[in-house]
Amino acid sequence: MERIGFIGLGIMGKPMARNLLKAGYPLTVYNRSDGPAEALVAEGAVAEASPQDVAADADIIVTIVTDTPDVQQVLLGESGAIHAITQDNIVIDMSTISPTATREMANIIRGKGASMLDAPVSGGEGGAIAGTLSIMVGGEEAVFNRCLPVFETLGKNIVHVGQSGAGQLTKLCNQIAVAVTNLAMSEALIFGAKAGLDLKKMQHAIQGGAAGSWQLSNLAPRVLERDFAPGFMVKLQQKDLRLVLQEADRLKLPLPATGLVHHLFHALESRGGGDEGTQALVKVLEQLGGVEVKQEN
């Protein structure tokens, strides 16, 4: 089996790495803090001191870190993976980052005789744990085919969407749809609360029809329980929306609904809500409407 090096063991990365271990892949890992790596070492992984050390022991190097500068650091920095990458290595970046930066890094890695795929994911922590993520992959098709068994360990809906950068662009499309649907869900809940409806019954009534969405089925019940713990943090959603709006600016494309959600999340962040789950968007609408979304027992 391919030897996997895994860089980034956060909310998403740790369960993804664990699924690779369970599938029998030889796994080396690196994380900036020691705790997550130690847990995986107890399950059979080998921890390394730097991304460079991870790359030295791997055929395929997977990265999933927070933002564009973080990917650039672990791949191209002083102790980055680039210093140990050799011909026929593959880098799979599963973070959500700039499509332009992705293409630039792919060109640098190609100069080493290696290949890079951009393969951001959707499905949240639950999908990472269950191995049911949606994975959208940009890069050469032959490289994608070689890595398909790895992707099939991590997800269920795996699509090769085009050349380098196409995976990141597709993920930005995903984030547009996610963010705007989150706003629609929040407005439906606010309206129902103000109108005095039984919100749990309202949710069940509409989620099986044309209004159904992942947000309505999975996030609305958490709002009704006043559970704002993160499956995906507001500050990370905001990072993704900045990437969307930067790319839209480059394309000279108006995205009014996406821009509105971005500004509403700004209001939430200004009140200290950046570490909450994205379902906390409803709190901004609650303040504007003078009503609280809560299931009455």
Side-chain angles (χ1 to χ4, degrees):
M1 299 181 78
E2 303 271 16
R3 298 173 301 159
I4 309 294
F6 205 100
I7 300 169
L9 303 173
I11 289 175
M12 299 292 289
K14 185 178 176 181
M16 291 166 68
R18 178 171 283 126
N19 285 336
L20 291 169
L21 269 178
K22 289 178 180 177
Y25 284 98
L27 190 71
T28 56
V29 298
Y30 169 78
N31 196 62
R32 283 177 291 189
S33 57
D34 293 334
E38 291 170 357
L40 290 173
V41 167
E43 299 172 31
V46 175
E48 298 287 4
S50 71
Q52 180 177 346
D53 293 335
V54 166
D57 291 327
D59 303 306
I60 297 174
I61 301 102
V62 178
T63 57
I64 182 161
V65 292
T66 303
D67 203 349
T68 305
D70 303 295
V71 179
Q72 292 169 325
Q73 180 64 32
V74 298
L75 290 183
L76 308 180
E78 184 176 348
S79 58
I82 192 73
H83 303 296
I85 287 173
T86 58
Q87 190 170 2
D88 294 330
N89 278 157
I90 298 173
V91 173
I92 306 174
D93 179 42
M94 306 189 81
S95 320
T96 300
I97 65 167
S98 161
T100 300
T102 290
R103 295 188 192 101
E104 291 170 351
M105 287 186 281
N107 285 334
I108 292 171
I109 288 167
R110 195 175 299 118
K112 301 279 286 187
S115 302
M116 180 174 175
L117 299 175
D118 48 295
V121 300
S122 180
E125 182 183 11
I129 292 169
T132 58
L133 293 167
S134 289
I135 308 174
M136 45 218 87
V137 188
E140 295 179 13
E141 188 170 7
V143 179
F144 167 78
N145 289 335
R146 176 179 158 188
C147 296
L148 188 55
V150 174
F151 292 135
E152 289 174 337
T153 302
L154 303 174
K156 295 299 181 187
N157 183 39
I158 302 151
V159 183
H160 180 240
V161 293
Q163 292 302 306
S164 180
Q168 294 297 347
L169 289 168
T170 302
K171 177 59 184 291
L172 297 186
C173 294
N174 181 86
Q175 297 306 75
I176 293 168
V178 163
V180 176
T181 305
N182 191 10
L183 178 59
M185 175 205 75
S186 298
E187 289 197 355
L189 292 175
I190 285 287
F191 182 89
K194 196 77 169 183
L197 292 176
D198 181 311
L199 296 179
K200 187 173 289 187
K201 289 181 178 179
M202 180 275 288
Q203 180 223 342
H204 285 308
I206 71 173
Q207 73 182 21
S213 67
W214 187 94
Q215 286 76 12
L216 191 61
S217 297
N218 292 275
L219 295 184
R222 298 182 68 178
V223 173
L224 297 182
E225 297 297 327
R226 309 305 292 175
D227 174 9
F228 298 108
F232 189 59
M233 291 183 185
V234 167
K235 65 184 180 184
L236 297 181
Q237 178 81 94
Q238 284 290 72
K239 179 265 296 183
D240 292 351
L241 293 182
R242 282 191 292 273
L243 291 171
V244 168
L245 295 171
Q246 287 166 8
E247 193 67 21
D249 184 61
R250 186 186 70 81
L251 296 169
K252 297 183 172 22
L253 178 71
L255 296 176
T258 305
L260 174 59
V261 177
H262 186 51
H263 286 300
L264 292 172
F265 274 132
H266 271 318
L268 186 61
E269 288 179 305
S270 72
R271 296 163 49 197
D275 289 333
E276 292 187 300
T278 54
Q279 68 272 24
L281 179 64
V282 75
K283 290 184 177 182
V284 181
L285 301 183
E286 287 176 336
Q287 186 176 32
L288 291 172
V291 63
E292 184 178 79
V293 174
K294 185 176 181 180
Q295 180 60 32
E296 298 296 337
N297 296 320

